[in-house]
């Protein structure tokens, strides 16, 4: 048809997705953040989201696609200069979108026209449920952010300790340099604190203030021992 996109291939390098990467994220909010990081790092030739190609009453494969090449300044590096002008595709999607993509690929139901009429109602339900998962994750993150903003020192005393209030108390009272941002096991620590009756922010603050200097000295001694 005359209105269809025509692809003229003169060289293997004309294909934009021979080389690619797929980034799978838990939360929809992170899709935009990661896509922006990609755009700030590489030269983006083209970006499109398959969601934008669907009508409101349609379901289907969803993912953000970025066609990239190395920035011109990178070509000064000998190891990279040989890749100048080559394109690659980076796909950014949520875990729910990835589940749909893998299931639809296995079933060969990538779009509605491929689905037998008796199954379309069920497939629509699955697609809607997976979208709902993403929407609800966004809601959880938003409500969690609002909750954490309200966790002031005046509001904490009468509440039971939880993973969020535990992190906030520790951040306020302990050196930030000691924190492992991506590897703090608050759930495990919470269970240990409950076991010893430390179940409110007030009790935790009291314990930390009582033992803080001893703990910092132990850390200092351990570092000095390792360096000696």
């Amino acid at each position: 048809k005359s209105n269809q996109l025509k692809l003229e291939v003169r060289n293997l390098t004309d294909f934009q997705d021979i080389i690619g990467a797929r980034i799978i994220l838990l939360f929809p909010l992170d899709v935009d953040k990661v896509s922006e990081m990609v755009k700030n790092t590489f030269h983006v030739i083209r970006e499109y989201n398959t969601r934008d190609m669907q009508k409101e009453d349609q379901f289907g494969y969803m993912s953000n696609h970025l066609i990239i090449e190395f920035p011109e300044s990178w070509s000064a590096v000998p190891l990279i200069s040989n890749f100048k002008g080559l394109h690659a595709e980076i796909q950014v999607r949520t875990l729910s979108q990835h589940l749909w993509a893998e299931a639809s690929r296995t079933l060969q139901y990538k779009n509605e026209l491929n689905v037998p009429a008796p199954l379309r109602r069920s497939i629509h339900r699955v697609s809607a449920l997976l979208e709902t998962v993403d929407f609800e994750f966004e809601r959880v993150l938003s409500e969690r952010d609002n909750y954490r903003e309200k966790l002031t020192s005046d509001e904490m005393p009468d509440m039971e300790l939880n993973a969020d209030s535990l992190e906030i108390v520790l951040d306020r009272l302990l050196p930030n340099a000691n924190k492992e941002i991506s590897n703090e096991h608050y759930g495990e620590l919470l269970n240990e604190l409950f076991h010893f009756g430390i179940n409110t922010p007030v009790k935790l603050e009291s314990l930390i203030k009582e033992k803080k200097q001893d703990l910092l000295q132990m850390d200092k001694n351990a570092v000095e021992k390792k360096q000696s």
Side-chain angles (χ1 to χ4, degrees):
K1 296 179 181 180
S2 59
N3 62 343
Q4 289 183 330
L5 179 64
K6 294 182 179 179
L7 177 64
E8 295 184 4
V9 179
R10 293 160 296 183
N11 192 293
L12 190 62
T13 58
D14 290 338
F15 289 102
Q16 63 186 23
D17 58 355
I18 290 179
I19 299 174
R22 180 176 296 140
I23 303 172
I24 301 170
L25 306 161
L26 282 177
F27 305 112
L29 290 173
D30 291 332
V31 171
D32 290 337
K33 294 177 183 177
V34 171
S35 296
E36 195 62 32
M37 291 171 63
V38 171
K39 288 187 276 189
N40 290 336
T41 304
F42 301 99
H43 175 222
V44 176
I45 300 169
R46 181 186 175 212
E47 178 183 9
Y48 64 94
N49 194 317
T50 55
R51 182 197 295 270
D52 300 333
M53 302 175 184
Q54 299 170 16
K55 296 179 181 179
E56 291 182 359
D57 61 345
Q58 289 181 317
F59 72 88
Y61 165 81
M62 288 183 289
S63 184
N64 198 37
H65 296 238
L66 300 105
I67 312 304
I68 60 99
E69 66 179 2
F70 289 138
E72 182 67 28
S73 58
W74 290 23
S75 61
V77 179
L79 289 176
I80 296 178
S81 60
N82 290 333
F83 300 102
K84 183 178 179 179
L86 295 181
H87 300 165
E89 179 180 84
I90 297 179
Q91 298 176 2
V92 188
R93 63 172 69 149
T94 65
L95 181 58
S96 294
Q97 292 170 345
H98 182 65
L99 287 172
W100 172 255
E102 291 303 301
S104 61
R105 183 179 294 109
T106 299
L107 297 170
Q108 300 188 43
Y109 294 166
K110 200 163 186 179
N111 60 61
E112 194 164 0
L113 294 176
N114 302 137
V115 183
L119 303 182
R120 286 179 186 170
R121 186 179 180 88
S122 295
I123 288 295
H124 272 284
R125 275 202 304 269
V126 173
S127 178
L129 283 171
L130 289 173
E131 280 199 62
T132 300
V133 168
D134 277 346
F135 289 142
E136 290 304 317
F137 268 137
E138 282 191 326
R139 190 203 302 271
V140 167
L141 288 180
S142 177
E143 291 178 356
R144 179 175 181 259
D145 289 341
N146 292 334
Y147 172 75
R148 288 170 69 95
E149 287 177 7
K150 294 177 181 177
L151 287 181
T152 65
S153 57
D154 294 332
E155 296 178 11
M156 279 193 181
D158 295 327
M159 64 184 297
E160 187 175 61
L161 199 64
N162 56 56
D164 290 297
S165 58
L166 171 59
E167 181 180 6
I168 288 172
V169 171
L170 295 180
D171 286 350
R172 188 169 67 243
L173 298 179
L174 297 179
N176 190 56
N178 287 17
K179 182 178 181 179
E180 294 184 22
I181 296 176
S182 62
N183 196 34
E184 295 285 345
H185 302 291
Y186 296 110
E188 294 178 11
L189 178 56
L190 201 60
N191 290 335
E192 293 181 11
L193 290 171
F194 283 166
H195 177 75
F196 291 103
I198 310 299
N199 55 9
T200 68
V202 171
K203 291 180 180 180
L204 178 60
E205 288 183 10
S206 177
L207 176 67
I208 291 175
K209 289 175 181 177
E210 179 185 349
K211 302 293 185 180
K212 182 176 180 180
Q213 292 307 316
D214 292 338
L215 292 172
L216 291 177
Q217 186 61 48
M218 289 174 60
D219 277 355
K220 182 179 178 181
N221 293 341
V223 171
E224 290 176 349
K225 184 177 180 180
K226 188 172 278 189
Q227 291 176 339
S228 62

